[in-house]
């Protein structure tokens, strides 16, 4: 079982690490070829797309859960149906984004309240990169489809190649053709579409998506549209809860001043670093757990859960030790702004508890997604979000930023705790 877990977890961790690199590459290039306004425009534009695509994460999760179950049953036609259905939804959402790009852009710039110069350049960046929406959302569906078939190698290779192409094309257009923000956007757009077509025609698997898209399937799909939509709806609402907590956490930091805002942004990197690793094991739980669910093999599911939590507890202890010993050193690696470091150091004792309070939620997420127990996952996150907002209003006036961090740690602890309570119901739950 451990070999199966690592076969999916390790490539998934590598893929996760490459995700922020796309945005970092754009910022790095803008920092070398443009003004501060150029850097701000890339940051604002990237944030808009991060939010849009994060809300569409159900395409990967729902597709992965349903595919892994069909894989466990050995039902190839159901696997193919799921991909076709997921890509239809992905392209439908993408074209809606393209049609509504102007109101989306205006609303996003209004929320972020950027300067006129930054807004103009961010608009140029957005209007180019929005044409990559079909590719990006298609990639979400295809990533889930491959993971559902226990294949994490293809997503890893595509993610690495996508970053390499993004770097090369963006540098070519900005440094040799002087395209500025437009060159960065086009470079990212080209990498997105090439990555999508790599998925479609990928030679490293015998079950290529292009063959699935052209094949004729029976007229009656095994998976009803209602079930498909309800699971994706629950995952979407769950993501909205996560977004609300993150936005309110950031906003509460902002009202305390720029230094606290910057310090919290640095401290959240402790959470993000931990999440990249834990998500890899969550993906393993999703793929293998869904396979066991589809095959109705409860003993395999229990064995998977035990092994996942052995890994989770080990990683929790490792990260806790690293943060206790090297937390202050990590802050100094992230920035050289002394005032921000001094403030952030006061809150390192809080982030040391991120692994302890958060590891279970990541692992349970994978098991819940694999069994498509989306309603229970939504309930858990909604209750955790409610606890965050309640404690934020109670503790922040008394303890300031420390109260905010206590509310965030409680959010993670409640999320995992509620999922633990419902765990016995997820093997066979009906949404």
């Amino acid at each position: 079982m451990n070999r199966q877990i690592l076969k999916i977890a390790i490539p998934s961790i590598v893929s996760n690490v490459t995700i922020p690199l796309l945005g970092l590459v754009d910022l790095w290039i803008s920092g070398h070829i443009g003004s501060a306004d150029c850097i701000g425009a890339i940051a604002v534009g990237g944030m808009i797309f991060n939010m849009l695509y994060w809300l569409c994460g159900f395409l990967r999760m729902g597709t992965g859960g349903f595919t892994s179950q069909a894989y466990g049953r050995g039902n190839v036609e159901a696997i193919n149906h799921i991909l076709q259905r997921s890509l239809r939804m992905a392209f439908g959402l993408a074209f809606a984004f393209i049609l509504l790009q102007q109101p989306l852009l205006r609303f996003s710039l209004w929320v972020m309240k950027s300067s006129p110069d930054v807004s103009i350049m961010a608009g140029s960046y957005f209007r180019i990169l929005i044409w990559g929406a079909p590719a990006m959302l298609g990639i979400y569906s295809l990533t889930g489809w491959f993971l559902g078939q226990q294949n994490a190698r293809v997503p890893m290779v595509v993610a690495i190649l996508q970053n390499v192409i993004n770097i090369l094309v963006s540098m070519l257009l900005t440094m040799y053709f002087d395209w500025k923000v437009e060159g960065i956007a086009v470079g990212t757009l080209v990498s997105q579409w090439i990555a999508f077509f790599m998925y479609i025609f990928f030679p490293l698997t015998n079950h290529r998506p292009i063959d699935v898209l052209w094949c004729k399937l029976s007229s009656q799909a095994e998976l009803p549209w209602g079930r498909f939509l309800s699971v994706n709806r629950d995952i979407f609402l769950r993501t909205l809860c996560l977004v609300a907590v993150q936005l309110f956490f950031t906003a509460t930091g902002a009202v305390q001043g720029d230094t606290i805002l910057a310090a919290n942004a640095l401290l959240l990197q402790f959470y993000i670093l931990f999440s990249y690793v834990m998500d890899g094991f969550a993906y393993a739980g999703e793929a293998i757990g869904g396979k066991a669910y589809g095959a109705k093999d409860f003993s395999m599911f229990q064995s998977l859960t035990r092994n996942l939590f052995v890994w989770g507890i080990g990683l929790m202890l490792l990260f806790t030790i690293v943060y206790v010993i090297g937390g202050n050193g990590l802050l100094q690696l992230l920035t050289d702004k002394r005032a921000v470091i001094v403030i952030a150091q006061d809150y390192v004792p809080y982030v040391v508890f991120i692994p302890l309070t958060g590891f279970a939620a990541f692992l349970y997420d994978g098991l819940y997604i694999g069994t498509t127990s989306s309603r229970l996952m939504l309930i858990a996150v909604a209750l955790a979000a409610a606890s965050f907002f309640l404690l934020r209003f109670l503790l922040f006036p008394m303890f300031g930023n420390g109260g905010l961090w206590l509310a965030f740690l409680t959010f993670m602890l409640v999320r995992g705790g509620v999922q633990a309570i419902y765990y016995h119901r997820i093997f066979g739950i009906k949404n």
Side-chain angles (χ1 to χ4, degrees), residues 89-102:
M89 180 178 286
F91 292 148
L93 287 170
F95 289 127
F97 289 162
I98 291 171
L99 290 173
L100 298 172
Q101 61 180 280
Q102 283 305 116

Side-chain angles (χ1 to χ4, degrees), residues 66-294:
F66 284 124
T67 302
S68 61
Q69 292 173 28
Y71 184 83
R73 294 192 300 271
N75 191 331
V76 175
E77 186 170 46
I79 291 172
N80 296 342
H81 267 298
I82 291 163
L83 178 61
Q84 291 184 356
R85 185 166 291 178
S86 182
L87 284 176
R88 285 192 211 118
M89 180 178 286
F91 292 148
L93 287 170
F95 289 127
F97 289 162
I98 291 171
L99 290 173
L100 298 172
Q101 61 180 280
Q102 283 305 116
L104 283 173
L105 176 60
R106 284 196 296 267
F107 176 75
S108 300
L109 294 177
W110 174 78
V111 169
M112 296 182 186
K113 302 186 186 304
S114 53
S115 69
D117 289 340
V118 168
S119 295
I120 291 171
M121 286 190 283
S124 297
Y125 181 86
F126 179 89
R127 280 186 285 270
I128 293 171
L129 209 50
I130 192 65
W131 294 97
M136 284 301 296
L137 296 187
I139 286 172
Y140 278 25
S141 295
L142 289 158
T143 299
W145 189 71
F146 275 106
L147 286 174
Q149 297 174 83
Q150 324 295 294
N151 187 338
R153 184 172 56 131
V154 169
M156 178 189 69
V157 173
V158 171
I160 293 172
L161 292 176
Q162 182 179 0
N163 277 279
V164 171
I165 293 166
N166 183 31
I167 294 170
L168 295 177
V169 178
S170 295
M171 290 183 66
L172 175 67
L173 295 177
T174 55
M175 296 183 178
Y176 290 93
F177 292 93
D178 199 30
W179 278 22
K180 305 297 182 184
V181 169
E182 292 78 6
I184 296 172
V186 170
T188 303
L189 178 66
V190 168
S191 72
Q192 290 171 348
W193 277 105
I194 290 178
F196 174 75
F197 285 115
M198 279 193 293
Y199 262 119
I200 293 294
F201 296 101
F202 215 97
L204 295 183
T205 173
N206 293 326
H207 199 197
R208 297 187 307 166
I210 187 62
D211 300 326
V212 174
L213 296 178
W214 282 106
C215 72
K216 292 183 179 180
L217 303 171
S218 62
S219 58
Q220 184 174 2
E222 179 178 303
L223 176 64
W225 263 108
R227 169 73 171 151
F228 184 77
L229 292 174
S230 68
V231 167
N232 284 303
R233 177 203 62 208
D234 291 341
I235 297 174
F236 171 76
L237 294 174
R238 170 251 190 195
T239 305
L240 272 182
C241 291
L242 296 176
V243 170
V245 169
Q246 179 173 313
L247 289 178
F248 209 77
F249 182 94
T250 302
T252 304
V255 300
Q256 300 175 80
D258 290 345
T259 305
I260 291 288
L261 175 63
N264 281 347
L266 289 181
L267 292 165
L268 277 175
Q269 301 309 306
F270 288 67
Y271 170 76
I272 293 171
L273 177 61
F274 182 64
S275 72
Y276 288 155
V277 176
M278 293 309 302
D279 269 340
F281 286 87
Y283 289 176
E286 172 186 332
I288 303 171
K291 175 185 174 182
Y293 180 87

Side-chain angles (χ1 to χ4, degrees), residues 245 248-249 252-253 256 264 267-268 346-354 356-358 383-415:
V245 169
F248 209 77
F249 182 94
T252 304
Q256 300 175 80
N264 281 347
L267 292 165
L268 277 175
D346 292 338
Y347 302 102
V348 169
Y350 292 95
V351 300
V352 162
F353 288 96
I354 285 175
L356 175 63
T357 58
L383 290 174
S387 71
F388 168 81
F389 288 113
L390 176 63
L391 289 178
R392 184 271 178 211
F393 284 110
L394 291 176
L395 299 180
F396 180 67
M398 293 185 290
F399 302 108
N401 202 52
L404 176 64
W405 274 101
L406 285 173
F408 185 70
L409 292 173
T410 302
F411 163 74
M412 291 188 289
L413 189 63
V414 170
R415 181 176 157 196

